[in-house]
Amino acid sequence: MTKILVVDDESSIVTLLQFNIEKAGFDVVTAEDGRTGYELALSEKPDLIVLDLMLPEMDGIEVCKQLRQDKVETPILMLTAKDDELDKIIGLELGADDYLTKPFSPREVVARIKAILRRSAGKAADVEPEDAQKERALQIGELKILTESYEVYLRDELLDLTPKEFELLVYLANHRGKVFSRDQLLDAVWNYDYIGETRIVDVHVSHLRDKIEADTKQPRYIKTIRGFGYKMENVKS
């Protein structure tokens, strides 16, 4: 049975979510502080984590950050009482897959869980069996992107990218020369229509440029197309 880990410090919310998620056919494990949630994420190996932002012991941002540093790629749905764009951006930037602001309906949480699990299953199905043991590499100028091991090298130096930075870079690299609007990139990389949340794309592009560009004011790889969006140049070595 698909296992969902719910981490929230409000007992009433934990009870409500557990009841509705189990009713939808999932197994549920719960925690009411960040430290316990982090430990359960490692020991129970859930298929998805519903993670509150404001937690005792260890907040949701730190839990998410630590899990991604530990190479735990379990999908994360973040919950928060704050309707704050910065919190949302930080959470998504650190590798959360989706975001809900309290108050929310349990039905919406279950719908988001199912959507995230479908996307995760779809990504796994996209890997062809004969390619499973192969390391696909994208070479653009002095950038080398290893798509299977989730590594990016610039002049043979391994770069430290967040999961979403990596996904955005790979998407642009796979479509070199094509211009994408911010909304198109949101839909392609985040797999959810964050209407009006285009700053998320700008933040990620800015962070990518800090890591891959010699001069961020005159970028060589990711170009801004004024009034529309971004494109990856087909830079030659």
Side-chain angles (χ1 to χ4, degrees), residues 48-55 59-65 75-80 87-88 90-102 104 112 116:
L48 183 142
I49 302 168
V50 180
L51 179 65
D52 188 31
L53 188 66
M54 302 299 291
L55 293 167
D59 67 32
I61 291 292
E62 186 60 31
V63 173
C64 183
K65 179 180 179 181
I76 295 175
L77 171 61
M78 286 199 118
L79 307 176
T80 180
D87 289 327
K88 186 181 296 186
I90 291 172
L92 295 171
E93 182 179 87
L94 289 173
D97 295 79
D98 207 345
Y99 189 103
L100 267 178
T101 301
K102 298 176 182 177
F104 49 76
R112 294 287 184 96
I116 294 170

Side-chain angles (χ1 to χ4, degrees), residues 134-225:
K134 296 180 181 179
E135 181 70 87
R136 293 200 302 121
L138 297 171
Q139 186 76 46
I140 307 172
E142 296 175 309
L143 272 179
K144 184 177 183 181
I145 306 169
L146 303 180
T147 59
E148 303 301 324
S149 57
Y150 294 87
E151 294 178 342
V152 178
Y153 292 85
L154 179 63
R155 296 185 294 276
D156 297 323
E157 179 182 348
L158 179 62
L159 302 180
D160 181 20
L161 303 186
T162 67
K164 284 301 175 189
E165 287 170 0
F166 180 82
E167 289 181 40
L168 177 59
L169 181 64
V170 169
Y171 188 79
L172 289 170
N174 276 324
H175 300 86
R176 293 187 290 281
K178 183 174 180 178
V179 181
F180 291 97
S181 70
R182 291 166 176 82
D183 284 327
Q184 286 174 322
L185 291 172
L186 279 172
D187 185 60
V189 177
W190 280 264
N191 295 295
Y192 186 79
D193 188 13
Y194 289 92
I195 298 174
E197 302 291 349
T198 54
R199 185 172 168 236
I200 293 170
V201 175
D202 296 333
V203 169
H204 281 70
V205 168
S206 176
H207 287 183
L208 273 175
R209 283 174 171 165
D210 287 340
K211 296 174 182 181
I212 69 174
E213 303 284 3
D215 183 354
T216 57
K217 295 186 182 302
Q218 295 183 327
R220 184 182 179 207
Y221 294 99
I222 302 177
K223 295 291 184 71
T224 300
I225 308 303

